[in-house]
Each structure stands twice: as C-alpha cells, then as structure tokens.
Amino acid sequence: MKNTSRLCSHKPIVTVNGQFPGPTLYAREGDTVLVKVDNHVKYNVSIHWHGIRQLRTGWADGPAYITQCPIPTGKSYVYNFTITGQRGTLLWHAHILWLRATVHGAIVVLPKRGVPYPFPTPHKEIVVILAEWWKSDTEAVINEALKSGLAPNVSDAHTINGHPGPISSCSSQRGFKLSVESGKSYMLRIINAALNEELFFKIAGHKLTVVEVDATYLKPFKIDSIVIAPGQTTNVIVTADQGSGKYMVAASPFMDSPIAVDNMTATATLHYSGTLTSAQTTLTTLPAQNATPVANNFINSLKSLNSKKYPAKVPQKIDHSLFFTVGLGINPCPTCKAGNGSRVVADINNVTFVMPTTALLQAHYFNKKGVFTTDFPGNPPSVFNYTGAPPTSLATTNGTKLYRLSYNSTVQLVLQDTGIIAPENHPIHLHGFNFFVVGRGVGNFNPKKDPKNFNLVDPVERNTVGVPSGGWTAIRFQADNPGTFYHFFSRTMFSFSYCNYLPRTFHLCTSSGVWFMHCHLEVHTTWGLKMAFLVDNGKGPNESLIPPPSDLPKC
C-alpha cells in the first residue's frame, strides 16, 4: 500500500512496487516471461496479462477463480508464459475485486531483434495510460453498491499517466508532461485502464496516425480523435510539426446512453523543447460526451494491415454458430433497501454468472465435480425485440455455466446488446484469443442480411471489442496451434505494498483450457456479465494444457 495524493486529498492505494500506474513490462516477441508476484496487502490478489494468448499456459492467465485461486496475503506466485506470434502494446492488471483501479500497467512487446515496424520508426516511444480516480476507497464504493442493489458512484476524475491535470476544485493538481522536439515523430502507446468508462483521446493542433490496436498492425490512417474502451490499446504516431508551444492533451468520456459517467476531462501537455513553462497552452474542442459519429468514424476506419508478413487469416468456415445477448436485469434482493427489495444484475443469454470458490481450470484439470456445469445456452432462452420494448420479466437465472468446445473448432458468436433498463456499449474481452471484427451494426442482428456485408478480407483484429449501444458486432477468430520455438527470458518481480497514505459474431479456432469472456466495464463484470468457454485438449502433445506449476495458489 502507498499513501497517494490526488485531487487535493489523500488515501492509501494498492500498488505494484509502489508505483501508480505500475511498472511497464518490456519483452520481445518469442520471449518467455517470468513474473514473481509477492502479495503484501490485505486483499487476495491475481494478475491478468491482458491480450497475451497463453498458448497451453492457461495457469498464467490470471483471472481469480477462473484459471487460478488468488494469491493470499503473504504468499507469492510466479507467472510463466511465452509470447508467441505477438508484438505491440498490451496491459496487465489485477483481476479480482476492483483492485485494477490502481493495479495496472503496460506490457510492451517489441518485435524480434532485427525486425522493423511496418511503418517509419519513431524518434521515441511513450506509454500513455488512461484511468479513473476515486477519492473514496474503490472497494468501499462497490461494496456499498452491492449492499444497496444500485449502481456504484462514478469516479471523481480521469487520469493520464496517473494525473488528472488541473481542475477547478484543485488547481494545484499537476498533469503529465509530454516533451517533444520540433520535427520529430513520437509513438504513443495508449492504454485504457479505466474501470468503467470509454474515453476519447485528442491532442490540440496535431493529427494522430493510428498504426496498431490491441497489439495488431493496421493500415495507417490519420484522425483527430480516437475512442478507446477499457482493456483496449491503441498506438498512434504524433509528429511535432507545430514548431513550438504547449498543446493540450485530453481524455474525456464517451457515453451515448442515458447512464451517469464521470464528466471530468483529464488533461496533460504536449510541450515543445524551448517553450517557456509560463507560455499559454493551446486548447482544443473535445468531442461531445455522446458523440457517436466521432466514435464510429474511428472504429470504422480500423482495418488490418493484411500484408504478406502480417496477413489477416480470417476464418471462412464455421463449426459452431452461437448467439449471445448481453445486458442488464433486475433480481430480487430482500436486504437491498435502497433498491426497494431488488438489485441490478447483468447477464449473457439471461444467465448471471456466479463466481465459484474453486478455480474453474483447476476443477476441470483435476476432475472436481460440482464446481460448474457445461450447459451454457448457445442462444437466448427466449426471443424478444432485443433493442426495443423489454420482456415482461427482467429477472435472470444464476449459474456457473460454461460452454464446451472441441479443440481447434471454429466458432461464430453474435453478441447482441439489449435495451433492458438501458442500451449500453459493452466492451467484451475474450481471454486467450484474438478475433477479427467482421461487422457491426445498430438494432437487432439479422442473420440473413447482415452477414452479406461482413468484411472477410482485412477486418481489424482485437482482443476487446465494443458492442455498440442498441446494436451488435460480428467477430471471427482463427487460433494458432502451439508449436516449438526458441526463446530468451525476461524476468520481472512485482511486489505489492499497501500505500498508506449486443450482437457480436466471432470465429475462433480454440486452444485447450478454460477461457473467460466478460464485459470489461468492471461494474458489469461484478454484476455477472461473464461466462467461460471450456475447450477440450487436442490429440497431440502440443495440443494439451501443460500440468499446473507447483506454486499454483490453493483456494
């Protein structure tokens, strides 16, 4: 723990190695990475390496009670995984409770030595982490919400590399300074580590050349503003072509539904060398909070590079066709006085996921009965106008249900937002896989008409994608088979200290293990918008989950 001051107030936060944001983990494609996590806080802890494929190493994926039991106070665990066929910007974060509010950092996977970027090499690379800040203890915030049955309080500020920038209630609050030299180009590795909010990102007077998202290369394009959901990463090139001066860097919320968000804008400064600190900062007009056209302009511009070296291997054949609705519901809660005897929940196909007390992967590997069932529905239990009038009953069913897949099968999954309580953009993250986003639209997915417009040539490849409010997204994925490789080693030690102070469609060719899929808005994950795929082993030695490590935490 570490005592930390923001917004002219103080509180203790959970940190990694005393840092907020946490340290950047650097590695190269092909490296094997070992990270020892020592837990010195009162909470159980687990770390997820968001976007790392974890081929055959599901034990290192990190979500608590899914692939591992959490690390207890005073204990440690070594995460051991190899980065295969990936390069770019990813992130790591806590995957238990709401600890990722402050327990997060960047993963920078450099290309193999001697392999250039598929774009001009920038003069310098800079990690830019966007997040949220609460004056209150975030665990108290969500615990109070669960007790009441209502939504939790929104954050008090957004941050850029840990700093909100000056705000009216705390003018002494400093912001992040991005120093540049005139005429040189800089690659910003932008990460949204916020708990619950999608964000616009913009720099006054400068275009952003987008070259990568979620550690996959794109056809480069220039744009004024990007939108980035929690769990997503975006690499942009900024050329310092304004000669001199100071320019505002801003992160502001995107929400196109009638849902409360933190409306504070985080600010930083792009500062040209030789410019006086007292010089006036050039400001910019930010997108409106509900600027759906601005968001769509960015999202619709994303195309895979699809070059000879980095092809877009979009699956053309489907083994499993699934349709999942994602949204909210209301269940009885006799003790929820503020909610008049009810609580807000979230669900996939009307199933509100119940977290087990034993890790699912351990239960599967050791054949422990009674922990989960494999009857997760492949389609909604009842059909209704998903984006129109809600059904008569808003109640959901509870269960720890998984959907079983055979090894190397391809899956088409349609994720459809619903208008129950309110339509909302849901950034869905699938552990263990990348997928191709082949289509998206507004309204209810039409299985006869919409697939005709899918992009099966150069769709963007991601690990986290937003289901648009009142709409759907279609994604496809082809998994790589585990293979033999040479590797170097990157070693890192993380030490926790208590600071006092919609529809979607996706194709996947699966690898063995239990792979979590959930909304990356932490409030929705807490409410139950999550499920997991159970993928059977294949036939060969490289098609099976490796045995668990000896230091795997016990429940």
Side-chain angles (χ1 to χ4, degrees), residues 1-15 18-20 101-102 132-138 159 162-164 173 497-501:
M1 303 292 290
K2 183 178 181 181
N3 273 333
T4 305
S5 176
R6 296 289 187 278
L7 306 179
C8 294
S9 64
H10 308 270
K11 72 170 184 176
I13 63 171
V14 181
T15 66
Q19 301 176 41
F20 170 69
T102 56
E132 294 178 84
W133 182 267
W134 279 259
K135 289 184 178 180
S136 302
D137 174 21
T138 50
T159 60
H163 300 282
Q173 175 69 61
S497 61
Y498 182 65
C499 304
N500 286 331
Y501 102 45

Side-chain angles (χ1 to χ4, degrees), residues 98-144:
W98 274 30
L99 296 183
R100 76 174 173 91
T102 56
V103 179
H104 59 250
I107 301 174
V108 173
V109 182
L110 301 170
K112 293 180 179 180
R113 293 188 184 277
V115 177
Y117 294 128
F119 47 82
T121 302
H123 169 65
K124 190 176 181 181
E125 302 178 10
I126 300 154
V127 170
V128 177
I129 298 180
L130 313 178
E132 294 178 84
W133 182 267
W134 279 259
K135 289 184 178 180
S136 302
D137 174 21
T138 50
E139 295 308 313
V141 169
I142 184 56
N143 288 339
E144 178 59 31

Side-chain angles (χ1 to χ4, degrees), residues 1 14 39 41-45 71-73 97 99 137 139 498:
M1 303 292 290
V14 181
N39 184 6
V41 302
K42 65 181 180 180
Y43 305 104
N44 289 339
V45 167
I71 307 167
T73 302
L97 306 173
L99 296 183
D137 174 21
E139 295 308 313
Y498 182 65

Side-chain angles (χ1 to χ4, degrees), residues 115-197:
V115 177
Y117 294 128
F119 47 82
T121 302
H123 169 65
K124 190 176 181 181
E125 302 178 10
I126 300 154
V127 170
V128 177
I129 298 180
L130 313 178
E132 294 178 84
W133 182 267
W134 279 259
K135 289 184 178 180
S136 302
D137 174 21
T138 50
E139 295 308 313
V141 169
I142 184 56
N143 288 339
E144 178 59 31
L146 293 174
K147 182 180 178 181
S148 71
L150 303 177
N153 292 335
V154 300
S155 56
D156 296 295
H158 298 106
T159 60
I160 300 176
N161 281 350
H163 300 282
I167 60 174
S168 58
S169 61
C170 184
S171 58
S172 63
Q173 175 69 61
R174 68 185 182 90
F176 175 69
K177 177 181 175 182
L178 174 57
S179 299
V180 299
E181 296 180 37
S182 180
K184 295 185 176 179
S185 64
Y186 298 80
M187 183 161 73
L188 308 185
R189 297 179 177 269
I190 306 169
I191 298 167
N192 187 346
L195 283 189
N196 295 315
E197 296 187 0

Side-chain angles (χ1 to χ4, degrees), residues 74-376:
K75 301 295 184 179
S76 65
Y77 178 48
V78 176
Y79 291 90
N80 185 341
F81 55 88
T82 298
I83 304 172
T84 304
Q86 294 182 276
R87 79 296 303 164
T89 306
L90 296 169
L91 68 152
W92 58 263
H93 59 77
H95 212 303
I96 186 171
L97 306 173
W98 274 30
L99 296 183
R100 76 174 173 91
T102 56
V103 179
H104 59 250
I107 301 174
V108 173
V109 182
L110 301 170
K112 293 180 179 180
R113 293 188 184 277
V115 177
Y117 294 128
F119 47 82
T121 302
H123 169 65
K124 190 176 181 181
E125 302 178 10
I126 300 154
V127 170
V128 177
I129 298 180
L130 313 178
E132 294 178 84
W133 182 267
W134 279 259
K135 289 184 178 180
S136 302
D137 174 21
T138 50
E139 295 308 313
V141 169
I142 184 56
N143 288 339
E144 178 59 31
L146 293 174
K147 182 180 178 181
S148 71
L150 303 177
N153 292 335
V154 300
S155 56
D156 296 295
H158 298 106
T159 60
I160 300 176
N161 281 350
H163 300 282
I167 60 174
S168 58
S169 61
C170 184
S171 58
S172 63
Q173 175 69 61
R174 68 185 182 90
F176 175 69
K177 177 181 175 182
L178 174 57
S179 299
V180 299
E181 296 180 37
S182 180
K184 295 185 176 179
S185 64
Y186 298 80
M187 183 161 73
L188 308 185
R189 297 179 177 269
I190 306 169
I191 298 167
N192 187 346
L195 283 189
N196 295 315
E197 296 187 0
E198 296 187 85
L199 297 168
F200 288 115
F201 180 86
K202 186 176 183 180
I203 301 178
H206 294 75
K207 291 281 189 180
L208 308 176
T209 300
V210 184
V211 296
E212 176 199 304
V213 294
D214 291 2
T216 61
Y217 293 134
L218 302 174
K219 290 180 174 67
F221 64 94
K222 290 187 177 182
I223 203 164
D224 290 324
S225 303
I226 69 166
V227 66
I228 183 168
Q232 292 183 333
T233 68
T234 304
N235 285 9
V236 302
I237 304 292
V238 178
T239 300
D241 55 8
Q242 296 300 305
S244 63
K246 292 166 57 183
Y247 296 82
M248 183 173 81
V249 180
S252 60
F254 167 53
M255 172 56 75
D256 55 358
S257 297
I259 294 173
V261 295
D262 174 2
N263 62 6
M264 299 297 294
T265 296
T267 59
T269 305
L270 187 144
H271 192 125
Y272 280 76
S273 61
T275 301
L276 296 176
T277 303
S278 58
Q280 187 173 1
T281 300
T282 300
L283 305 180
T284 187
T285 301
L286 299 171
Q289 179 179 300
N290 63 348
T292 306
V294 177
N296 286 342
N297 183 40
F298 169 74
I299 294 169
N300 294 335
S301 298
L302 301 173
K303 309 290 183 186
S304 285
L305 184 60
N306 195 26
S307 65
K308 184 177 181 179
K309 186 174 179 61
Y310 303 104
K313 298 180 180 178
V314 187
Q316 305 296 315
K317 181 183 176 182
I318 303 169
D319 295 324
H320 299 269
S321 183
L322 307 176
F323 185 88
F324 289 0
T325 56
V326 295
L328 306 181
I330 297 177
N331 282 350
C333 176
T335 61
C336 298
K337 295 182 179 179
N340 293 321
S342 299
R343 73 160 70 248
V344 180
V345 296
D347 64 274
I348 301 177
N349 273 358
N350 207 51
V351 177
T352 295
F353 191 85
V354 176
M355 292 296 286
T357 55
T358 297
L360 297 177
L361 186 59
Q362 289 170 275
H364 168 58
Y365 188 87
F366 294 108
N367 199 29
K368 184 175 181 180
K369 305 298 183 182
V371 177
F372 62 85
T373 60
T374 55
D375 57 347
F376 189 90

